Amino acid sequence: MSKKTYSKTFFAGFIKENPVLALALGLCPTLAVTTSLYNAIGMGIAATFVLVCSNAVISLFRKIIPEKIRIPIFIVVIATFVTIVDLSMSAFLPELHAQLGIFVPLIVVNCVILGRAEAFASKNGIIISIIDGLGMGIGFTLALSLIGIIRELFGNGTLFSGTPMMIEVFSKPAMAMIFAPGAFITMGFIMAFIASREKKEG
Amino acid sequence: MNELLAIIIATVFVNNYVLSRFLGLCPFFGVSKKIETAAGMGMAVTFVMTLASIATWFIEKFLLSIKVGGHDLSYLRTVTFILVIASLVQFVEMFLQKSMPSLYQSLGIFLPLITTNCAVLGVAILNIQNFGVKTYWALIKTITQGVGAALGFTLALVLMAGIRERLELEEVPACFKGMPIAFVVSGLLALAFMGFNGLKIF
């Protein structure tokens, strides 16, 4: 395959086929863990790792996986890598692990990962599958970070809280943005913004 | 008894699985366009969630939490639970198809979707984390939480479907049509459910 296909696959997940903002997949972690930018990036990296590894393994085995039981096999492969992430995160980043809570094991049922396994890795070679996983994972992380920035900025008045680089922007934040309603409304406005841009272009 | 009632109230209203814990968002946005399909999905989820709570509890008690030489298998929880849920869904589907064709007709299309519903895996993991597997009283609490979570899910889904049926007839700004307005509306719904916060029972 030419270099052009590789870069096209890699950048597709960024904006045009962004798993969260364009396809509305993987909504649960997107809305639940984006209370701060740090959590959002942590979740994004964890999901990217699982996505790349599971894409690689599934693409390697794609010719011997029987058609009828492919979904359970995909789920077991994904669950294995999620367990790796879960255990290493609780060992090396216990605070982040506590913050993300139930949503670390729930990466298993993240439809972005299963969706890429089904739609891409089970049909393509290993290198392009890894590139696809990386691109989609970065797109997922970017979307989470965007929502995380907006919610943390308005809801807590800070950026990067939980890390040594914390910046306090203003001191009287709107608490609702940190809670559930803020997540839904932020997501709605971002999607509306994207829809309005698309309308102008085409 | 009071404890069980408190669990029901908490899971249905105070910590509604969809609107305040962000579990099961994909079906919440995917199948909330009509009240009938929303109720059907709710019924299917209630069925599977209750069975999954019971099945995973017994597996945790008699398989995963048994210590052999000072180690137990609890690190396999994610892998085991998702497999159990996937096979349970498959089994329920086959059973309904054979013995209750009319119910299968109405629930059939929703059943495969439930495997990737993170609320089911979420409630199974949370049950074990919250109540443990020491006594059979924990099993009763587990079942109660499973039923309560499913009722909360159904309530949110049906409410949302009712609102979206009316939204169809309203004039919405062009860029907000479809998903964006659904997100904003669910934000308002979540705001309403925040009113239950601080509700003290007994």
Side-chain angles (χ1 to χ4, degrees), chain B residues 158-171:
Chain B
V158 171
L159 276 178
M160 186 68 185
I163 297 173
R164 278 180 88 170
E165 274 189 357
R166 292 202 162 197
L167 266 180
E168 293 280 298
L169 309 171
E170 295 298 322
E171 263 187 48

PDB file of all heavy atoms in Angstrom, chain B residues 158-171:
ATOM      1  N   VAL B 158     -37.780   6.101  28.444  1.00  0.00           N
ATOM      2  CA  VAL B 158     -39.167   6.405  28.062  1.00  0.00           C
ATOM      3  C   VAL B 158     -39.422   7.908  28.139  1.00  0.00           C
ATOM      4  O   VAL B 158     -40.058   8.492  27.247  1.00  0.00           O
ATOM      5  CB  VAL B 158     -40.155   5.606  28.943  1.00  0.00           C
ATOM      6  CG1 VAL B 158     -41.568   6.070  28.715  1.00  0.00           C
ATOM      7  CG2 VAL B 158     -40.033   4.124  28.634  1.00  0.00           C
ATOM      8  N   LEU B 159     -38.898   8.559  29.185  1.00  0.00           N
ATOM      9  CA  LEU B 159     -39.041  10.019  29.301  1.00  0.00           C
ATOM     10  C   LEU B 159     -38.448  10.711  28.083  1.00  0.00           C
ATOM     11  O   LEU B 159     -39.064  11.583  27.461  1.00  0.00           O
ATOM     12  CB  LEU B 159     -38.306  10.519  30.542  1.00  0.00           C
ATOM     13  CG  LEU B 159     -39.023  10.451  31.883  1.00  0.00           C
ATOM     14  CD1 LEU B 159     -38.100  10.943  32.973  1.00  0.00           C
ATOM     15  CD2 LEU B 159     -40.273  11.296  31.848  1.00  0.00           C
ATOM     16  N   MET B 160     -37.230  10.268  27.725  1.00  0.00           N
ATOM     17  CA  MET B 160     -36.526  10.864  26.600  1.00  0.00           C
ATOM     18  C   MET B 160     -37.303  10.649  25.305  1.00  0.00           C
ATOM     19  O   MET B 160     -37.420  11.562  24.481  1.00  0.00           O
ATOM     20  CB  MET B 160     -35.143  10.203  26.504  1.00  0.00           C
ATOM     21  CG  MET B 160     -34.249  10.800  25.480  1.00  0.00           C
ATOM     22  SD  MET B 160     -33.765  12.436  25.951  1.00  0.00           S
ATOM     23  CE  MET B 160     -32.880  12.901  24.490  1.00  0.00           C
ATOM     24  N   ALA B 161     -37.861   9.426  25.144  1.00  0.00           N
ATOM     25  CA  ALA B 161     -38.617   9.132  23.925  1.00  0.00           C
ATOM     26  C   ALA B 161     -39.846  10.028  23.836  1.00  0.00           C
ATOM     27  O   ALA B 161     -40.180  10.541  22.761  1.00  0.00           O
ATOM     28  CB  ALA B 161     -39.020   7.664  23.904  1.00  0.00           C
ATOM     29  N   GLY B 162     -40.499  10.242  24.986  1.00  0.00           N
ATOM     30  CA  GLY B 162     -41.670  11.118  25.001  1.00  0.00           C
ATOM     31  C   GLY B 162     -41.303  12.519  24.551  1.00  0.00           C
ATOM     32  O   GLY B 162     -42.015  13.155  23.754  1.00  0.00           O
ATOM     33  N   ILE B 163     -40.173  13.022  25.055  1.00  0.00           N
ATOM     34  CA  ILE B 163     -39.748  14.372  24.675  1.00  0.00           C
ATOM     35  C   ILE B 163     -39.376  14.425  23.198  1.00  0.00           C
ATOM     36  O   ILE B 163     -39.745  15.350  22.480  1.00  0.00           O
ATOM     37  CB  ILE B 163     -38.555  14.821  25.548  1.00  0.00           C
ATOM     38  CG1 ILE B 163     -38.977  14.888  27.006  1.00  0.00           C
ATOM     39  CG2 ILE B 163     -38.046  16.165  25.094  1.00  0.00           C
ATOM     40  CD1 ILE B 163     -37.843  15.164  27.949  1.00  0.00           C
ATOM     41  N   ARG B 164     -38.653  13.377  22.740  1.00  0.00           N
ATOM     42  CA  ARG B 164     -38.191  13.422  21.350  1.00  0.00           C
ATOM     43  C   ARG B 164     -39.347  13.299  20.356  1.00  0.00           C
ATOM     44  O   ARG B 164     -39.264  13.844  19.260  1.00  0.00           O
ATOM     45  CB  ARG B 164     -37.154  12.328  21.102  1.00  0.00           C
ATOM     46  CG  ARG B 164     -35.787  12.762  21.553  1.00  0.00           C
ATOM     47  CD  ARG B 164     -34.769  11.711  21.321  1.00  0.00           C
ATOM     48  NE  ARG B 164     -34.178  11.795  19.998  1.00  0.00           N
ATOM     49  CZ  ARG B 164     -33.115  11.073  19.643  1.00  0.00           C
ATOM     50  NH1 ARG B 164     -32.582  10.244  20.484  1.00  0.00           N
ATOM     51  NH2 ARG B 164     -32.615  11.193  18.447  1.00  0.00           N
ATOM     52  N   GLU B 165     -40.408  12.573  20.742  1.00  0.00           N
ATOM     53  CA  GLU B 165     -41.575  12.496  19.861  1.00  0.00           C
ATOM     54  C   GLU B 165     -42.164  13.886  19.641  1.00  0.00           C
ATOM     55  O   GLU B 165     -42.603  14.227  18.559  1.00  0.00           O
ATOM     56  CB  GLU B 165     -42.641  11.567  20.457  1.00  0.00           C
ATOM     57  CG  GLU B 165     -42.407  10.122  20.095  1.00  0.00           C
ATOM     58  CD  GLU B 165     -43.565   9.226  20.483  1.00  0.00           C
ATOM     59  OE1 GLU B 165     -44.532   9.716  21.095  1.00  0.00           O
ATOM     60  OE2 GLU B 165     -43.482   8.019  20.173  1.00  0.00           O
ATOM     61  N   ARG B 166     -42.169  14.700  20.722  1.00  0.00           N
ATOM     62  CA  ARG B 166     -42.691  16.061  20.585  1.00  0.00           C
ATOM     63  C   ARG B 166     -41.725  16.967  19.831  1.00  0.00           C
ATOM     64  O   ARG B 166     -42.149  17.872  19.106  1.00  0.00           O
ATOM     65  CB  ARG B 166     -42.946  16.658  21.963  1.00  0.00           C
ATOM     66  CG  ARG B 166     -44.061  15.972  22.666  1.00  0.00           C
ATOM     67  CD  ARG B 166     -44.606  16.868  23.706  1.00  0.00           C
ATOM     68  NE  ARG B 166     -45.907  16.421  24.112  1.00  0.00           N
ATOM     69  CZ  ARG B 166     -46.745  17.198  24.778  1.00  0.00           C
ATOM     70  NH1 ARG B 166     -46.384  18.418  25.085  1.00  0.00           N
ATOM     71  NH2 ARG B 166     -47.913  16.746  25.117  1.00  0.00           N
ATOM     72  N   LEU B 167     -40.412  16.717  20.038  1.00  0.00           N
ATOM     73  CA  LEU B 167     -39.403  17.548  19.378  1.00  0.00           C
ATOM     74  C   LEU B 167     -39.516  17.475  17.863  1.00  0.00           C
ATOM     75  O   LEU B 167     -39.197  18.439  17.162  1.00  0.00           O
ATOM     76  CB  LEU B 167     -38.005  17.081  19.780  1.00  0.00           C
ATOM     77  CG  LEU B 167     -37.335  17.767  20.951  1.00  0.00           C
ATOM     78  CD1 LEU B 167     -35.973  17.163  21.179  1.00  0.00           C
ATOM     79  CD2 LEU B 167     -37.210  19.253  20.714  1.00  0.00           C
ATOM     80  N   GLU B 168     -39.953  16.317  17.365  1.00  0.00           N
ATOM     81  CA  GLU B 168     -40.090  16.131  15.923  1.00  0.00           C
ATOM     82  C   GLU B 168     -40.935  17.228  15.308  1.00  0.00           C
ATOM     83  O   GLU B 168     -40.704  17.654  14.187  1.00  0.00           O
ATOM     84  CB  GLU B 168     -40.753  14.775  15.633  1.00  0.00           C
ATOM     85  CG  GLU B 168     -39.915  13.580  15.996  1.00  0.00           C
ATOM     86  CD  GLU B 168     -38.872  13.285  14.948  1.00  0.00           C
ATOM     87  OE1 GLU B 168     -39.264  13.001  13.808  1.00  0.00           O
ATOM     88  OE2 GLU B 168     -37.671  13.367  15.267  1.00  0.00           O
ATOM     89  N   LEU B 169     -41.947  17.686  16.064  1.00  0.00           N
ATOM     90  CA  LEU B 169     -42.888  18.658  15.517  1.00  0.00           C
ATOM     91  C   LEU B 169     -42.461  20.101  15.768  1.00  0.00           C
ATOM     92  O   LEU B 169     -43.058  21.030  15.251  1.00  0.00           O
ATOM     93  CB  LEU B 169     -44.280  18.439  16.119  1.00  0.00           C
ATOM     94  CG  LEU B 169     -44.805  17.006  16.047  1.00  0.00           C
ATOM     95  CD1 LEU B 169     -46.074  16.863  16.859  1.00  0.00           C
ATOM     96  CD2 LEU B 169     -45.037  16.606  14.607  1.00  0.00           C
ATOM     97  N   GLU B 170     -41.421  20.270  16.575  1.00  0.00           N
ATOM     98  CA  GLU B 170     -41.015  21.634  16.921  1.00  0.00           C
ATOM     99  C   GLU B 170     -40.048  22.193  15.884  1.00  0.00           C
ATOM    100  O   GLU B 170     -39.387  21.450  15.175  1.00  0.00           O
ATOM    101  CB  GLU B 170     -40.330  21.647  18.290  1.00  0.00           C
ATOM    102  CG  GLU B 170     -41.239  21.272  19.435  1.00  0.00           C
ATOM    103  CD  GLU B 170     -42.385  22.239  19.605  1.00  0.00           C
ATOM    104  OE1 GLU B 170     -42.167  23.451  19.413  1.00  0.00           O
ATOM    105  OE2 GLU B 170     -43.495  21.776  19.911  1.00  0.00           O
ATOM    106  N   GLU B 171     -39.968  23.505  15.841  1.00  0.00           N
ATOM    107  CA  GLU B 171     -38.979  24.119  14.949  1.00  0.00           C
ATOM    108  C   GLU B 171     -37.680  24.314  15.698  1.00  0.00           C
ATOM    109  O   GLU B 171     -37.579  25.104  16.634  1.00  0.00           O
ATOM    110  CB  GLU B 171     -39.508  25.466  14.451  1.00  0.00           C
ATOM    111  CG  GLU B 171     -40.159  25.360  13.096  1.00  0.00           C
ATOM    112  CD  GLU B 171     -40.529  26.716  12.553  1.00  0.00           C
ATOM    113  OE1 GLU B 171     -39.666  27.612  12.590  1.00  0.00           O
ATOM    114  OE2 GLU B 171     -41.682  26.875  12.119  1.00  0.00           O
TER     115      GLU B 171
END
